[in-house]
Every structure is written in structure tokens, then in C-alpha cells.
Amino acid sequence: MAEEAEVVKNKQVVLKNYATGFVKDSDFIIKTDSTMSLKVPESSSKGVLVKNFYLSCDPYLSFLMQKSDSSLEAQFSRFSLGSTINGFGVAKVVDSRHPKFEKGDLVWGITGWEEYSLIAEPDSLFKIEHTDVPLSHYTGLLGMSGLTAYGGLFEVCNPKKGEKVFVSAASGSVGLLVGQFAKLTGCHVIGSAGSREKVDLLKNKFGFDDAFNYKEEQDLDAALKRYFPEGIDIHFENVGGKMLDAVLLNMRMHGRIAVCGLMSQYHQEKPEGLYNVASILIKRLRMEGFGVFDYLHLYPKFLDLVLPQIREKKITYVEDIAEGLENGPAALVGLFSGRNVGKQVVLVARE
Ligand SMILES: NC(=O)c1ccc[n+]([C@@H]2O[C@H](COP(=O)([O-])OP(=O)(O)OC[C@H]3O[C@@H](n4cnc5c(N)ncnc54)[C@H](OP(=O)(O)O)[C@@H]3O)[C@@H](O)[C@H]2O)c1
């Protein structure tokens, strides 16, 4: 007779309201009455059941929480009311019907904001092969944020030694890595962030050549002229809006702009416009958007570059860990007021 599968309680973070404006704690419910059978159903040909350890708090999640009929809709699958939030995380395989994964494997990739997840299509799940680094790093440095920084900087911008690089939201999990990768390439790197503490971290811990607090600058164009008297070769855009408009005025001929994210725009009903688009024409700029999913195939190459740098302590990383699934919503909300310092992680269960 087939063995009965163990059934456990499964705490979940569920979408209660579509987000309007800034995402709020009250847009979520913590559901405590769900259960999960710890066996992949036989009907699933390649399902993987995982126990979640860490979740990655990422700004795009708030975008997926909005109800929208915009033309971008076809590109994204938004969360529906009552569904569990899905995002990147680190987990351990409890049961698998997929040939690539077996019980006990550590993995990172798309999972649920819950204690246990059944992943029906584990196509973007990676097996964790290197465990001599903290497992939580696979939410950021060795996961989505790291690959984003790598793809955006090296594939989109192709930096060269001596070039001048500007990074906005530079103390966030992507920005702090872009700056360090650019420094390792021999670039001159300046970042912007929203507090004196973060500016200090950028200069004294993450090795940026300089940094400024954008909230203390009345005139962003004047600030950029002060920090880049000869102009910017490469801009890594995490913020959009007024910052991007000021950057356009300060780019050098043949400069490159990687549009990674638009932190200042996600909650706007009507996005801010750009006025300095003529710079793109006059200075022969290339401005290119990208998504981390464009670079998943480069993950092994990325690991080859970054793992030795971590082991030799040439890359510094900071994590801001919120303990407990029930604190996930507040951690996500905090990204939009800059409450996080470095990568915002949610600890679901200890390894
Ligand atoms: N293209 C992709 O595939 C991809 C992948 C990952 C991330 N992203 C995007 O990349 C950007 C950075 O992500 P991340 O994970 O590094 O971020 P993060 O660690 O979540 O940090 C976000 C930071 O953005 C800053 N911020 C918030 N609101 C802002 C505003 N109105 N103006 C300026 N700064 C603001 C805050 O720092 P301050 O204190 O400095 O304000 C906050 O700490 C986001 O736009 C994200 O959506 C894109």
C-alpha cells in the first residue's frame, strides 16, 4: 500500500487588495489555515515541492500587485486577488518528480511567499552547488540581483577601464553590485542614495569613488555636473523620473544607459515625462532596457566571475533580514521609502 504523505500547516502571504499608489501592509493577508501535502501529486509530471528558507523582497512585486489594463499587461502575469505572492527565494527540495532535482537539493528561483511551495513548472529553478557562502546570498548577490547587475553592466553597457559610471539607488541590492563590478573593471564610479548613512556605506564599505544623497540636492543637474565635470559614460538606471532626465543632460558622446528599473515611477498613476530626450540624439546615446530573464543562460559565467571575488573578499555585500513570513509585507513596503540597507531578505525558516 502506498505510504500516506505527511500533511503540514502552510502559512502564506496572500494578496488582499490590488495595490493603488504605494503598496501597503493592508494589501496583504497572512493566511494561517492552509495545509500542504509533502508529496508532489502523481498528476504532476515535473513538479517540485520545496520548503522555503529565504525570500527576496523585490520592487517589481509591487508592480505585479497592481490591477492594470495598460499596454504592458501582455508582458507580465499579475497576481490575482486571493493568490499567494510569488517571487525569488531560496529553498530545499522536499519531494520531486523532476529529473533535475531530488529530495535534499538546495535551490533558488521562483517560489511562493509561504512555508512550503509546490512548483509545477520549475524551469527557472537553479540547483545551488556552492554552499561555502551564506545561503541567503542566493536571494541577491548570487541570485537575481547579482545576475541583473552583471547582465545590465557587462552585456548592455560594455564598460571599459577609466570610464565614468553613475549608479542610481546605488545602495540597493542591484546598485551596490553594479558599482563594485564597475570598480573591478577599473571604472570611476559614483552613486546616489537617499540617506547620509547609505552615502557613507557606498564610499567606505562598497568602494565607490564618491556618492551623494539625492534628497539633499535641490538641483540634480547641478549635482551631476559637480560629480561628473567631464560627463557620464555609463549610467545604470534604477530610479527613472527626474533623475533620469538630469542624467540625460550629463551624458558624454556615445554614452550608454542601462534601464534596469524605475523605482520612482512604479506607484505613479501617471508616470513623469522625460524632457531631455534631445540628448539621446545629439550625443548618439544608447539607452536600453533589459530584464534579468534575458540573461539566465549567463548564470554559470556570472558565477565563475563572482564566486572567486566573494571568496577573496573583493566584493562586499549587506543584507537586511526581516525575520518571519508575517514581516514580509512590511519589508516589501519599506523598499519604497528606502527603509532597507542593502538586500532586503525575508527569513521564513532556518536551514
Ligand atoms: N530589469 C530587471 O530585470 C531588474 C531586476 C532586479 C531589479 N530591477 C530594478 O532595479 C531597481 C533596483 O532594485 P534593487 O533590488 O536594487 O532595489 P532595492 O534593494 O529594493 O532597493 C531599492 C531602493 O530604491 C530606493 N528608492 C525607493 N524609492 C525611490 C525613489 N522614489 N527615488 C529614488 N530612489 C528610491 C531606496 O533607496 P534610497 O534610500 O536610496 O532612496 C530603496 O532602498 C528597481 O527599480 C528594480 O525594480 C530590475
PDB file of all heavy atoms in Angstrom, residues 57-60 144-145 148 169 171-175 192-195 198 214-215 238-239 260-264 266 290-292 335-336 338 340 342, ligand 1:
ATOM      1  N   CYS A  57      12.952  40.244  -1.364  1.00  0.00           N
ATOM      2  CA  CYS A  57      11.999  41.358  -1.482  1.00  0.00           C
ATOM      3  C   CYS A  57      12.414  42.192  -2.672  1.00  0.00           C
ATOM      4  O   CYS A  57      13.499  42.781  -2.662  1.00  0.00           O
ATOM      5  CB  CYS A  57      12.099  42.228  -0.241  1.00  0.00           C
ATOM      6  SG  CYS A  57      10.833  41.898   0.927  1.00  0.00           S
ATOM      7  N   ASP A  58      11.583  42.254  -3.675  1.00  0.00           N
ATOM      8  CA  ASP A  58      11.946  42.965  -4.902  1.00  0.00           C
ATOM      9  C   ASP A  58      10.865  43.952  -5.298  1.00  0.00           C
ATOM     10  O   ASP A  58       9.672  43.625  -5.250  1.00  0.00           O
ATOM     11  CB  ASP A  58      12.171  41.955  -6.041  1.00  0.00           C
ATOM     12  CG  ASP A  58      13.402  41.111  -5.783  1.00  0.00           C
ATOM     13  OD1 ASP A  58      14.483  41.697  -5.631  1.00  0.00           O
ATOM     14  OD2 ASP A  58      13.283  39.875  -5.697  1.00  0.00           O
ATOM     15  N   PRO A  59      11.306  45.151  -5.760  1.00  0.00           N
ATOM     16  CA  PRO A  59      10.339  46.186  -6.110  1.00  0.00           C
ATOM     17  C   PRO A  59       9.305  45.742  -7.143  1.00  0.00           C
ATOM     18  O   PRO A  59       8.150  46.157  -7.086  1.00  0.00           O
ATOM     19  CB  PRO A  59      11.218  47.310  -6.675  1.00  0.00           C
ATOM     20  CG  PRO A  59      12.564  47.096  -6.062  1.00  0.00           C
ATOM     21  CD  PRO A  59      12.699  45.618  -5.875  1.00  0.00           C
ATOM     22  N   TYR A  60       9.680  44.863  -8.093  1.00  0.00           N
ATOM     23  CA  TYR A  60       8.734  44.505  -9.161  1.00  0.00           C
ATOM     24  C   TYR A  60       7.482  43.815  -8.607  1.00  0.00           C
ATOM     25  O   TYR A  60       6.429  43.799  -9.250  1.00  0.00           O
ATOM     26  CB  TYR A  60       9.423  43.625 -10.221  1.00  0.00           C
ATOM     27  CG  TYR A  60       9.569  42.172  -9.845  1.00  0.00           C
ATOM     28  CD1 TYR A  60       8.605  41.238 -10.199  1.00  0.00           C
ATOM     29  CD2 TYR A  60      10.664  41.720  -9.114  1.00  0.00           C
ATOM     30  CE1 TYR A  60       8.717  39.902  -9.841  1.00  0.00           C
ATOM     31  CE2 TYR A  60      10.786  40.392  -8.746  1.00  0.00           C
ATOM     32  CZ  TYR A  60       9.818  39.483  -9.109  1.00  0.00           C
ATOM     33  OH  TYR A  60       9.937  38.168  -8.737  1.00  0.00           O
ATOM     34  N   MET A 144      19.075  36.703  -8.243  1.00  0.00           N
ATOM     35  CA  MET A 144      18.508  37.611  -9.230  1.00  0.00           C
ATOM     36  C   MET A 144      19.217  38.967  -9.265  1.00  0.00           C
ATOM     37  O   MET A 144      19.526  39.484 -10.341  1.00  0.00           O
ATOM     38  CB  MET A 144      17.023  37.769  -8.908  1.00  0.00           C
ATOM     39  CG  MET A 144      16.216  38.349 -10.011  1.00  0.00           C
ATOM     40  SD  MET A 144      16.152  40.112  -9.815  1.00  0.00           S
ATOM     41  CE  MET A 144      14.741  40.333  -8.808  1.00  0.00           C
ATOM     42  N   SER A 145      19.513  39.551  -8.099  1.00  0.00           N
ATOM     43  CA  SER A 145      20.114  40.899  -8.103  1.00  0.00           C
ATOM     44  C   SER A 145      21.506  40.874  -8.743  1.00  0.00           C
ATOM     45  O   SER A 145      21.860  41.768  -9.519  1.00  0.00           O
ATOM     46  CB  SER A 145      20.258  41.448  -6.683  1.00  0.00           C
ATOM     47  OG  SER A 145      19.122  41.217  -5.928  1.00  0.00           O
ATOM     48  N   THR A 148      21.283  40.452 -12.442  1.00  0.00           N
ATOM     49  CA  THR A 148      20.784  41.704 -13.026  1.00  0.00           C
ATOM     50  C   THR A 148      21.926  42.714 -13.166  1.00  0.00           C
ATOM     51  O   THR A 148      22.102  43.341 -14.226  1.00  0.00           O
ATOM     52  CB  THR A 148      19.679  42.304 -12.117  1.00  0.00           C
ATOM     53  OG1 THR A 148      18.637  41.347 -11.973  1.00  0.00           O
ATOM     54  CG2 THR A 148      19.120  43.583 -12.690  1.00  0.00           C
ATOM     55  N   ALA A 169      20.006  54.708  -7.029  1.00  0.00           N
ATOM     56  CA  ALA A 169      19.623  53.713  -5.998  1.00  0.00           C
ATOM     57  C   ALA A 169      20.812  52.786  -5.756  1.00  0.00           C
ATOM     58  O   ALA A 169      20.691  51.557  -5.744  1.00  0.00           O
ATOM     59  CB  ALA A 169      18.367  52.930  -6.397  1.00  0.00           C
ATOM     60  N   SER A 171      22.687  52.022  -3.247  1.00  0.00           N
ATOM     61  CA  SER A 171      22.876  51.161  -2.075  1.00  0.00           C
ATOM     62  C   SER A 171      21.858  50.023  -2.052  1.00  0.00           C
ATOM     63  O   SER A 171      21.846  49.226  -1.123  1.00  0.00           O
ATOM     64  CB  SER A 171      22.775  51.979  -0.784  1.00  0.00           C
ATOM     65  OG  SER A 171      21.426  52.319  -0.571  1.00  0.00           O
ATOM     66  N   GLY A 172      20.994  49.949  -3.067  1.00  0.00           N
ATOM     67  CA  GLY A 172      20.064  48.820  -3.171  1.00  0.00           C
ATOM     68  C   GLY A 172      20.825  47.584  -3.615  1.00  0.00           C
ATOM     69  O   GLY A 172      22.027  47.647  -3.943  1.00  0.00           O
ATOM     70  N   SER A 173      20.132  46.460  -3.649  1.00  0.00           N
ATOM     71  CA  SER A 173      20.865  45.204  -3.841  1.00  0.00           C
ATOM     72  C   SER A 173      21.494  45.099  -5.230  1.00  0.00           C
ATOM     73  O   SER A 173      22.570  44.518  -5.377  1.00  0.00           O
ATOM     74  CB  SER A 173      19.969  44.020  -3.533  1.00  0.00           C
ATOM     75  OG  SER A 173      19.184  43.679  -4.597  1.00  0.00           O
ATOM     76  N   VAL A 174      20.877  45.693  -6.250  1.00  0.00           N
ATOM     77  CA  VAL A 174      21.485  45.672  -7.582  1.00  0.00           C
ATOM     78  C   VAL A 174      22.597  46.735  -7.655  1.00  0.00           C
ATOM     79  O   VAL A 174      23.726  46.459  -8.066  1.00  0.00           O
ATOM     80  CB  VAL A 174      20.418  45.938  -8.680  1.00  0.00           C
ATOM     81  CG1 VAL A 174      21.072  46.051 -10.050  1.00  0.00           C
ATOM     82  CG2 VAL A 174      19.365  44.839  -8.685  1.00  0.00           C
ATOM     83  N   GLY A 175      22.255  47.948  -7.222  1.00  0.00           N
ATOM     84  CA  GLY A 175      23.178  49.080  -7.360  1.00  0.00           C
ATOM     85  C   GLY A 175      24.515  48.856  -6.684  1.00  0.00           C
ATOM     86  O   GLY A 175      25.572  49.179  -7.243  1.00  0.00           O
ATOM     87  N   SER A 192      24.202  57.424  -6.211  1.00  0.00           N
ATOM     88  CA  SER A 192      23.298  58.264  -5.420  1.00  0.00           C
ATOM     89  C   SER A 192      22.456  57.360  -4.530  1.00  0.00           C
ATOM     90  O   SER A 192      22.136  56.223  -4.907  1.00  0.00           O
ATOM     91  CB  SER A 192      22.396  59.105  -6.332  1.00  0.00           C
ATOM     92  OG  SER A 192      21.560  58.270  -7.096  1.00  0.00           O
ATOM     93  N   ALA A 193      22.139  57.872  -3.340  1.00  0.00           N
ATOM     94  CA  ALA A 193      21.296  57.124  -2.405  1.00  0.00           C
ATOM     95  C   ALA A 193      20.553  58.137  -1.538  1.00  0.00           C
ATOM     96  O   ALA A 193      20.848  59.333  -1.578  1.00  0.00           O
ATOM     97  CB  ALA A 193      22.153  56.194  -1.556  1.00  0.00           C
ATOM     98  N   GLY A 194      19.600  57.613  -0.727  1.00  0.00           N
ATOM     99  CA  GLY A 194      18.671  58.505  -0.052  1.00  0.00           C
ATOM    100  C   GLY A 194      18.953  58.829   1.402  1.00  0.00           C
ATOM    101  O   GLY A 194      18.056  59.327   2.088  1.00  0.00           O
ATOM    102  N   SER A 195      20.155  58.546   1.916  1.00  0.00           N
ATOM    103  CA  SER A 195      20.459  58.965   3.288  1.00  0.00           C
ATOM    104  C   SER A 195      21.975  59.105   3.449  1.00  0.00           C
ATOM    105  O   SER A 195      22.736  58.531   2.666  1.00  0.00           O
ATOM    106  CB  SER A 195      19.937  57.949   4.316  1.00  0.00           C
ATOM    107  OG  SER A 195      20.730  56.777   4.270  1.00  0.00           O
ATOM    108  N   LYS A 198      23.664  55.753   3.985  1.00  0.00           N
ATOM    109  CA  LYS A 198      23.881  54.974   2.754  1.00  0.00           C
ATOM    110  C   LYS A 198      25.025  55.549   1.932  1.00  0.00           C
ATOM    111  O   LYS A 198      25.827  54.807   1.351  1.00  0.00           O
ATOM    112  CB  LYS A 198      22.587  54.935   1.926  1.00  0.00           C
ATOM    113  CG  LYS A 198      21.488  54.093   2.583  1.00  0.00           C
ATOM    114  CD  LYS A 198      20.228  54.059   1.722  1.00  0.00           C
ATOM    115  CE  LYS A 198      19.158  53.184   2.357  1.00  0.00           C
ATOM    116  NZ  LYS A 198      17.943  53.096   1.536  1.00  0.00           N
ATOM    117  N   TYR A 214      20.651  62.122  -2.897  1.00  0.00           N
ATOM    118  CA  TYR A 214      19.800  62.843  -3.862  1.00  0.00           C
ATOM    119  C   TYR A 214      18.716  63.656  -3.166  1.00  0.00           C
ATOM    120  O   TYR A 214      18.232  64.644  -3.701  1.00  0.00           O
ATOM    121  CB  TYR A 214      19.193  61.874  -4.894  1.00  0.00           C
ATOM    122  CG  TYR A 214      18.164  60.903  -4.332  1.00  0.00           C
ATOM    123  CD1 TYR A 214      16.804  61.210  -4.319  1.00  0.00           C
ATOM    124  CD2 TYR A 214      18.547  59.681  -3.802  1.00  0.00           C
ATOM    125  CE1 TYR A 214      15.868  60.331  -3.798  1.00  0.00           C
ATOM    126  CE2 TYR A 214      17.621  58.797  -3.273  1.00  0.00           C
ATOM    127  CZ  TYR A 214      16.285  59.126  -3.275  1.00  0.00           C
ATOM    128  OH  TYR A 214      15.356  58.252  -2.744  1.00  0.00           O
ATOM    129  N   LYS A 215      18.379  63.276  -1.919  1.00  0.00           N
ATOM    130  CA  LYS A 215      17.316  64.013  -1.211  1.00  0.00           C
ATOM    131  C   LYS A 215      17.812  65.374  -0.722  1.00  0.00           C
ATOM    132  O   LYS A 215      17.022  66.245  -0.388  1.00  0.00           O
ATOM    133  CB  LYS A 215      16.803  63.191  -0.024  1.00  0.00           C
ATOM    134  CG  LYS A 215      16.030  61.951  -0.464  1.00  0.00           C
ATOM    135  CD  LYS A 215      15.498  61.170   0.714  1.00  0.00           C
ATOM    136  CE  LYS A 215      14.778  59.916   0.247  1.00  0.00           C
ATOM    137  NZ  LYS A 215      14.555  58.952   1.305  1.00  0.00           N
ATOM    138  N   ASN A 238      18.200  52.891 -11.999  1.00  0.00           N
ATOM    139  CA  ASN A 238      17.308  52.121 -11.135  1.00  0.00           C
ATOM    140  C   ASN A 238      16.080  52.913 -10.712  1.00  0.00           C
ATOM    141  O   ASN A 238      15.206  52.384 -10.039  1.00  0.00           O
ATOM    142  CB  ASN A 238      18.058  51.706  -9.856  1.00  0.00           C
ATOM    143  CG  ASN A 238      19.066  50.608 -10.111  1.00  0.00           C
ATOM    144  OD1 ASN A 238      18.773  49.656 -10.832  1.00  0.00           O
ATOM    145  ND2 ASN A 238      20.249  50.731  -9.540  1.00  0.00           N
ATOM    146  N   VAL A 239      16.056  54.208 -11.055  1.00  0.00           N
ATOM    147  CA  VAL A 239      15.107  55.111 -10.420  1.00  0.00           C
ATOM    148  C   VAL A 239      14.130  55.770 -11.403  1.00  0.00           C
ATOM    149  O   VAL A 239      12.934  55.842 -11.155  1.00  0.00           O
ATOM    150  CB  VAL A 239      15.925  56.194  -9.652  1.00  0.00           C
ATOM    151  CG1 VAL A 239      15.043  57.377  -9.306  1.00  0.00           C
ATOM    152  CG2 VAL A 239      16.529  55.607  -8.388  1.00  0.00           C
ATOM    153  N   CYS A 260      17.405  49.621 -15.903  1.00  0.00           N
ATOM    154  CA  CYS A 260      17.169  48.411 -15.114  1.00  0.00           C
ATOM    155  C   CYS A 260      15.834  48.503 -14.397  1.00  0.00           C
ATOM    156  O   CYS A 260      15.067  47.550 -14.355  1.00  0.00           O
ATOM    157  CB  CYS A 260      18.308  48.265 -14.110  1.00  0.00           C
ATOM    158  SG  CYS A 260      18.054  46.928 -12.950  1.00  0.00           S
ATOM    159  N   GLY A 261      15.552  49.675 -13.810  1.00  0.00           N
ATOM    160  CA  GLY A 261      14.311  49.816 -13.051  1.00  0.00           C
ATOM    161  C   GLY A 261      13.938  51.273 -12.897  1.00  0.00           C
ATOM    162  O   GLY A 261      14.748  52.175 -13.175  1.00  0.00           O
ATOM    163  N   LEU A 262      12.700  51.500 -12.458  1.00  0.00           N
ATOM    164  CA  LEU A 262      12.158  52.867 -12.363  1.00  0.00           C
ATOM    165  C   LEU A 262      11.489  53.029 -10.996  1.00  0.00           C
ATOM    166  O   LEU A 262      10.286  53.229 -10.893  1.00  0.00           O
ATOM    167  CB  LEU A 262      11.159  53.112 -13.498  1.00  0.00           C
ATOM    168  CG  LEU A 262      11.704  52.914 -14.921  1.00  0.00           C
ATOM    169  CD1 LEU A 262      10.578  52.927 -15.952  1.00  0.00           C
ATOM    170  CD2 LEU A 262      12.743  53.985 -15.269  1.00  0.00           C
ATOM    171  N   MET A 263      12.326  52.916  -9.975  1.00  0.00           N
ATOM    172  CA  MET A 263      11.838  52.912  -8.587  1.00  0.00           C
ATOM    173  C   MET A 263      10.898  54.078  -8.268  1.00  0.00           C
ATOM    174  O   MET A 263       9.962  53.916  -7.492  1.00  0.00           O
ATOM    175  CB  MET A 263      13.095  52.996  -7.721  1.00  0.00           C
ATOM    176  CG  MET A 263      13.088  52.336  -6.418  1.00  0.00           C
ATOM    177  SD  MET A 263      12.489  50.673  -6.444  1.00  0.00           S
ATOM    178  CE  MET A 263      11.880  50.586  -4.786  1.00  0.00           C
ATOM    179  N   SER A 264      11.143  55.226  -8.863  1.00  0.00           N
ATOM    180  CA  SER A 264      10.324  56.404  -8.528  1.00  0.00           C
ATOM    181  C   SER A 264       9.004  56.416  -9.296  1.00  0.00           C
ATOM    182  O   SER A 264       8.178  57.304  -9.073  1.00  0.00           O
ATOM    183  CB  SER A 264      11.105  57.691  -8.829  1.00  0.00           C
ATOM    184  OG  SER A 264      11.215  57.870 -10.233  1.00  0.00           O
ATOM    185  N   TYR A 266       6.976  53.328 -10.169  1.00  0.00           N
ATOM    186  CA  TYR A 266       6.078  52.169 -10.132  1.00  0.00           C
ATOM    187  C   TYR A 266       4.711  52.484  -9.513  1.00  0.00           C
ATOM    188  O   TYR A 266       3.709  51.869  -9.852  1.00  0.00           O
ATOM    189  CB  TYR A 266       6.704  51.008  -9.353  1.00  0.00           C
ATOM    190  CG  TYR A 266       7.984  50.454  -9.955  1.00  0.00           C
ATOM    191  CD1 TYR A 266       9.021  50.023  -9.149  1.00  0.00           C
ATOM    192  CD2 TYR A 266       8.148  50.375 -11.324  1.00  0.00           C
ATOM    193  CE1 TYR A 266      10.192  49.507  -9.691  1.00  0.00           C
ATOM    194  CE2 TYR A 266       9.315  49.862 -11.870  1.00  0.00           C
ATOM    195  CZ  TYR A 266      10.333  49.434 -11.048  1.00  0.00           C
ATOM    196  OH  TYR A 266      11.487  48.931 -11.585  1.00  0.00           O
ATOM    197  N   PHE A 290      16.335  46.250 -20.096  1.00  0.00           N
ATOM    198  CA  PHE A 290      16.636  44.810 -20.104  1.00  0.00           C
ATOM    199  C   PHE A 290      15.940  44.158 -18.915  1.00  0.00           C
ATOM    200  O   PHE A 290      15.538  44.837 -17.967  1.00  0.00           O
ATOM    201  CB  PHE A 290      18.163  44.567 -20.027  1.00  0.00           C
ATOM    202  CG  PHE A 290      18.725  44.876 -18.664  1.00  0.00           C
ATOM    203  CD1 PHE A 290      18.925  43.873 -17.729  1.00  0.00           C
ATOM    204  CD2 PHE A 290      19.024  46.183 -18.299  1.00  0.00           C
ATOM    205  CE1 PHE A 290      19.409  44.158 -16.459  1.00  0.00           C
ATOM    206  CE2 PHE A 290      19.503  46.484 -17.033  1.00  0.00           C
ATOM    207  CZ  PHE A 290      19.693  45.471 -16.117  1.00  0.00           C
ATOM    208  N   GLY A 291      15.808  42.855 -18.965  1.00  0.00           N
ATOM    209  CA  GLY A 291      15.237  42.095 -17.856  1.00  0.00           C
ATOM    210  C   GLY A 291      16.191  40.964 -17.505  1.00  0.00           C
ATOM    211  O   GLY A 291      16.842  40.406 -18.396  1.00  0.00           O
ATOM    212  N   VAL A 292      16.240  40.628 -16.236  1.00  0.00           N
ATOM    213  CA  VAL A 292      17.190  39.599 -15.795  1.00  0.00           C
ATOM    214  C   VAL A 292      16.943  38.270 -16.524  1.00  0.00           C
ATOM    215  O   VAL A 292      17.876  37.493 -16.767  1.00  0.00           O
ATOM    216  CB  VAL A 292      17.145  39.433 -14.257  1.00  0.00           C
ATOM    217  CG1 VAL A 292      15.804  38.911 -13.788  1.00  0.00           C
ATOM    218  CG2 VAL A 292      18.264  38.531 -13.765  1.00  0.00           C
ATOM    219  N   LEU A 335      10.769  49.057   0.921  1.00  0.00           N
ATOM    220  CA  LEU A 335      11.685  49.337  -0.199  1.00  0.00           C
ATOM    221  C   LEU A 335      11.380  50.703  -0.807  1.00  0.00           C
ATOM    222  O   LEU A 335      12.255  51.383  -1.326  1.00  0.00           O
ATOM    223  CB  LEU A 335      11.540  48.291  -1.313  1.00  0.00           C
ATOM    224  CG  LEU A 335      11.798  46.827  -0.984  1.00  0.00           C
ATOM    225  CD1 LEU A 335      11.602  45.980  -2.237  1.00  0.00           C
ATOM    226  CD2 LEU A 335      13.193  46.630  -0.422  1.00  0.00           C
ATOM    227  N   PHE A 336      10.100  51.105  -0.738  1.00  0.00           N
ATOM    228  CA  PHE A 336       9.680  52.318  -1.446  1.00  0.00           C
ATOM    229  C   PHE A 336       9.901  53.584  -0.628  1.00  0.00           C
ATOM    230  O   PHE A 336       9.697  54.688  -1.127  1.00  0.00           O
ATOM    231  CB  PHE A 336       8.221  52.162  -1.915  1.00  0.00           C
ATOM    232  CG  PHE A 336       8.137  51.083  -2.960  1.00  0.00           C
ATOM    233  CD1 PHE A 336       7.934  49.762  -2.605  1.00  0.00           C
ATOM    234  CD2 PHE A 336       8.376  51.377  -4.290  1.00  0.00           C
ATOM    235  CE1 PHE A 336       7.934  48.756  -3.555  1.00  0.00           C
ATOM    236  CE2 PHE A 336       8.381  50.377  -5.249  1.00  0.00           C
ATOM    237  CZ  PHE A 336       8.158  49.071  -4.880  1.00  0.00           C
ATOM    238  N   GLY A 338      12.877  53.475   1.129  1.00  0.00           N
ATOM    239  CA  GLY A 338      14.320  53.313   1.347  1.00  0.00           C
ATOM    240  C   GLY A 338      14.656  52.812   2.743  1.00  0.00           C
ATOM    241  O   GLY A 338      15.756  53.030   3.235  1.00  0.00           O
ATOM    242  N   ASN A 340      15.209  49.822   3.639  1.00  0.00           N
ATOM    243  CA  ASN A 340      16.232  48.765   3.565  1.00  0.00           C
ATOM    244  C   ASN A 340      17.627  49.337   3.348  1.00  0.00           C
ATOM    245  O   ASN A 340      17.807  50.340   2.661  1.00  0.00           O
ATOM    246  CB  ASN A 340      15.917  47.816   2.402  1.00  0.00           C
ATOM    247  CG  ASN A 340      15.902  48.516   1.052  1.00  0.00           C
ATOM    248  OD1 ASN A 340      15.244  49.541   0.890  1.00  0.00           O
ATOM    249  ND2 ASN A 340      16.639  47.996   0.091  1.00  0.00           N
ATOM    250  N   GLY A 342      20.883  47.771   1.766  1.00  0.00           N
ATOM    251  CA  GLY A 342      21.335  46.573   1.055  1.00  0.00           C
ATOM    252  C   GLY A 342      20.152  45.686   0.709  1.00  0.00           C
ATOM    253  O   GLY A 342      19.005  46.138   0.656  1.00  0.00           O
TER     254      GLY A 342
HETATM  255  N1  LIG B   1      15.415  44.714 -15.042  1.00  0.00           N
HETATM  256  C1  LIG B   1      15.418  43.723 -14.167  1.00  0.00           C
HETATM  257  O1  LIG B   1      15.390  42.539 -14.509  1.00  0.00           O
HETATM  258  C2  LIG B   1      15.501  44.067 -12.715  1.00  0.00           C
HETATM  259  C3  LIG B   1      15.895  43.106 -11.769  1.00  0.00           C
HETATM  260  C4  LIG B   1      16.036  43.497 -10.431  1.00  0.00           C
HETATM  261  C5  LIG B   1      15.723  44.797 -10.065  1.00  0.00           C
HETATM  262  N2  LIG B   1      15.306  45.671 -11.013  1.00  0.00           N
HETATM  263  C6  LIG B   1      15.012  47.068 -10.667  1.00  0.00           C
HETATM  264  O2  LIG B   1      16.209  47.650 -10.237  1.00  0.00           O
HETATM  265  C7  LIG B   1      15.938  48.670  -9.298  1.00  0.00           C
HETATM  266  C8  LIG B   1      16.751  48.435  -8.043  1.00  0.00           C
HETATM  267  O3  LIG B   1      16.374  47.187  -7.486  1.00  0.00           O
HETATM  268  P1  LIG B   1      17.046  46.680  -6.151  1.00  0.00           P
HETATM  269  O4  LIG B   1      16.624  45.289  -5.941  1.00  0.00           O
HETATM  270  O5  LIG B   1      18.479  47.044  -6.141  1.00  0.00           O
HETATM  271  O6  LIG B   1      16.342  47.638  -5.113  1.00  0.00           O
HETATM  272  P2  LIG B   1      16.248  47.500  -3.565  1.00  0.00           P
HETATM  273  O7  LIG B   1      17.384  46.782  -2.966  1.00  0.00           O
HETATM  274  O8  LIG B   1      14.890  47.024  -3.308  1.00  0.00           O
HETATM  275  O9  LIG B   1      16.361  48.996  -3.134  1.00  0.00           O
HETATM  276  C9  LIG B   1      15.506  49.939  -3.658  1.00  0.00           C
HETATM  277  C10 LIG B   1      15.990  51.294  -3.219  1.00  0.00           C
HETATM  278  O10 LIG B   1      15.438  52.254  -4.113  1.00  0.00           O
HETATM  279  C11 LIG B   1      15.467  53.500  -3.486  1.00  0.00           C
HETATM  280  N3  LIG B   1      14.236  54.251  -3.773  1.00  0.00           N
HETATM  281  C12 LIG B   1      12.985  53.960  -3.368  1.00  0.00           C
HETATM  282  N4  LIG B   1      12.113  54.888  -3.842  1.00  0.00           N
HETATM  283  C13 LIG B   1      12.862  55.779  -4.546  1.00  0.00           C
HETATM  284  C14 LIG B   1      12.558  56.977  -5.258  1.00  0.00           C
HETATM  285  N5  LIG B   1      11.296  57.440  -5.358  1.00  0.00           N
HETATM  286  N6  LIG B   1      13.574  57.651  -5.837  1.00  0.00           N
HETATM  287  C15 LIG B   1      14.844  57.200  -5.740  1.00  0.00           C
HETATM  288  N7  LIG B   1      15.191  56.069  -5.079  1.00  0.00           N
HETATM  289  C16 LIG B   1      14.208  55.378  -4.499  1.00  0.00           C
HETATM  290  C17 LIG B   1      15.573  53.238  -1.972  1.00  0.00           C
HETATM  291  O11 LIG B   1      16.866  53.674  -1.547  1.00  0.00           O
HETATM  292  P3  LIG B   1      17.199  55.206  -1.224  1.00  0.00           P
HETATM  293  O12 LIG B   1      17.294  55.299   0.249  1.00  0.00           O
HETATM  294  O13 LIG B   1      18.482  55.395  -1.938  1.00  0.00           O
HETATM  295  O14 LIG B   1      16.079  56.059  -1.769  1.00  0.00           O
HETATM  296  C18 LIG B   1      15.488  51.728  -1.860  1.00  0.00           C
HETATM  297  O15 LIG B   1      16.269  51.233  -0.812  1.00  0.00           O
HETATM  298  C19 LIG B   1      14.445  48.661  -9.068  1.00  0.00           C
HETATM  299  O16 LIG B   1      13.870  49.647  -9.885  1.00  0.00           O
HETATM  300  C20 LIG B   1      14.043  47.283  -9.541  1.00  0.00           C
HETATM  301  O17 LIG B   1      12.711  47.235  -9.973  1.00  0.00           O
HETATM  302  C21 LIG B   1      15.181  45.334 -12.317  1.00  0.00           C
END
